């Protein structure tokens, strides 16, 4: 959704009879009702437009890492983008949680190491004994981990045939997305039908945390 015509196509009943200004005002209010105000504004400014070649390339690179990890029979794939700055204890903390979940026989698909919390929902503890929380709608893909099951779901979803920003794709797999056009994509619907468990570390609501920072924000 990047133009008024897109709003009228995706939300024909809701914006019927509204002027262009009124339609966009409603669109912004809808995001604010579900997400934190600044994050809602950032999303509209950053994603309510055509997908860029950079985003396509980024999504392809993430997808290729997942596919190669499956070929190599890797059970847990950790992805750090070039601007991620993990701390010395990041990998250890992650693997301790992964080992604990395995002992507790609890499956998972994605663990955010660093991310930004967008929506207003509380994030409950995933399982007693673990510090991981059941993630709400989060963005930022510079530091995260995928289980083999998570990689299989994404690889088989068809995402490679309808590429858009990976940081917009991942949260749509498990949480409510205000854009019904995103939720209606086949690649999203297919994974949601299977179920997708996304987790995050506590105290990571505003991006940087004790496990990982981002170079662009540190400079």
């Amino acid at each position: 959704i990047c133009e008024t015509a897109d709003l009228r196509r995706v939300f024909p009943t809701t914006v019927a009879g509204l002027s262009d200004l009124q339609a966009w005002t409603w669109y912004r209010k809808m995001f604010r009702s579900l997400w934190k105000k600044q994050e809602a504004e950032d999303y509209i400014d950053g994603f309510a437009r055509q997908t860029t070649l950079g985003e396509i390339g980024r999504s392809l690179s993430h997808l290729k890492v997942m596919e190669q990890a499956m070929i190599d029979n890797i059970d847990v794939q950790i992805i750090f983008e070039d601007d991620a700055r993990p701390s010395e204890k990041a990998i250890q903390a992650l693997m301790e949680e992964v080992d604990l979940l395995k002992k507790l026989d609890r499956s998972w698909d994605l663990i955010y190491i660093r991310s930004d919390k967008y929506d207003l929902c509380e994030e409950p503890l995933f399982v007693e004994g673990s510090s991981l929380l059941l993630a709400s709608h989060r963005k930022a893909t510079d530091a995260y981990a995928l289980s083999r099951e998570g990689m299989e779901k994404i690889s088989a979803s068809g995402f490679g045939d309808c590429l858009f920003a990976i940081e917009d794709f991942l949260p749509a797999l498990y949480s409510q997305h205000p854009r019904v056009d995103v939720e209606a994509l086949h690649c999203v619907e297919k994974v949601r039908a299977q179920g997708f468990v996304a987790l995050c570390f506590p105290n990571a609501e505003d991006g940087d945390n004790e496990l990982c920072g981002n170079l662009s924000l540190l400079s």
Side-chain angles (χ1 to χ4, degrees):
I1 296 177
C2 57
E3 299 177 357
T4 306
D6 299 322
L7 281 178
R8 301 194 185 283
R9 171 178 55 82
V10 178
F11 305 102
T13 304
T14 305
V15 301
L18 299 181
S19 67
D20 290 355
L21 177 59
Q22 290 172 328
W24 276 104
T25 299
W26 168 82
Y27 188 55
R28 286 178 178 270
K29 286 182 177 179
M30 179 190 67
F31 275 94
R32 292 195 196 105
S33 69
L34 297 171
W35 290 352
K36 294 183 290 183
K37 182 178 179 180
Q38 187 57 56
E39 280 71 9
E41 295 298 331
D42 289 346
Y43 182 86
I44 294 171
D45 293 339
F47 289 93
R49 52 162 173 69
Q50 299 292 342
T51 301
T52 67
L53 289 176
E55 287 170 339
I56 292 175
R58 186 180 180 191
S59 296
L60 271 175
S61 66
H62 282 242
L63 189 58
K64 288 185 179 298
V65 168
M66 298 176 204
E67 292 173 344
Q68 187 61 50
M70 292 174 59
I71 292 173
D72 295 338
N73 201 31
I74 292 174
D75 291 327
V76 177
Q77 176 64 54
I78 305 170
I79 296 178
F80 288 121
E81 294 187 345
D82 55 7
D83 55 357
R85 291 297 179 268
S87 68
E88 293 182 358
K89 61 182 178 181
I91 302 299
Q92 179 181 347
L94 172 67
M95 296 313 299
E96 286 176 352
E97 291 291 345
V98 169
D99 290 342
L100 177 60
L101 295 180
K102 185 175 182 179
K103 289 179 181 178
L104 297 174
D105 196 26
R106 297 298 298 266
S107 62
W108 60 278
D109 296 296
L110 179 151
I111 297 176
Y112 288 109
I113 300 172
R114 179 192 174 279
S115 59
D116 296 302
K117 185 174 184 289
Y118 266 56
D119 67 21
L120 301 172
C121 299
E122 294 293 328
E123 294 177 315
L125 190 67
F126 178 54
V127 62
E128 193 68 33
S130 169
S131 64
L132 294 173
L133 307 177
L134 198 60
S136 61
H137 194 110
R138 286 178 168 268
K139 297 195 185 297
T141 54
D142 46 3
Y144 67 99
L146 288 164
S147 68
R148 184 167 184 83
E149 291 79 7
M151 290 186 284
E152 288 173 347
K153 292 174 184 177
I154 292 172
S155 297
S157 70
F159 179 54
D161 296 325
C162 58
L163 288 168
F164 60 103
I166 185 75
E167 59 263 48
D168 210 20
F169 171 65
L170 291 178
L173 303 181
Y174 65 87
S175 65
Q176 180 183 8
H177 199 299
R179 287 178 54 181
V180 294
D181 58 322
V182 171
E183 288 196 341
L185 290 170
H186 175 71
C187 58
V188 172
E189 289 185 329
K190 185 173 181 178
V191 176
R192 289 179 71 102
Q194 295 173 292
F196 194 85
V197 179
L199 309 173
C200 63
F201 283 91
N203 305 319
E205 182 164 328
D206 297 312
D208 290 358
N209 57 67
E210 61 182 4
L211 298 181
C212 188
N214 182 283
L215 182 61
S216 64
L217 299 177
L218 294 172
S219 59

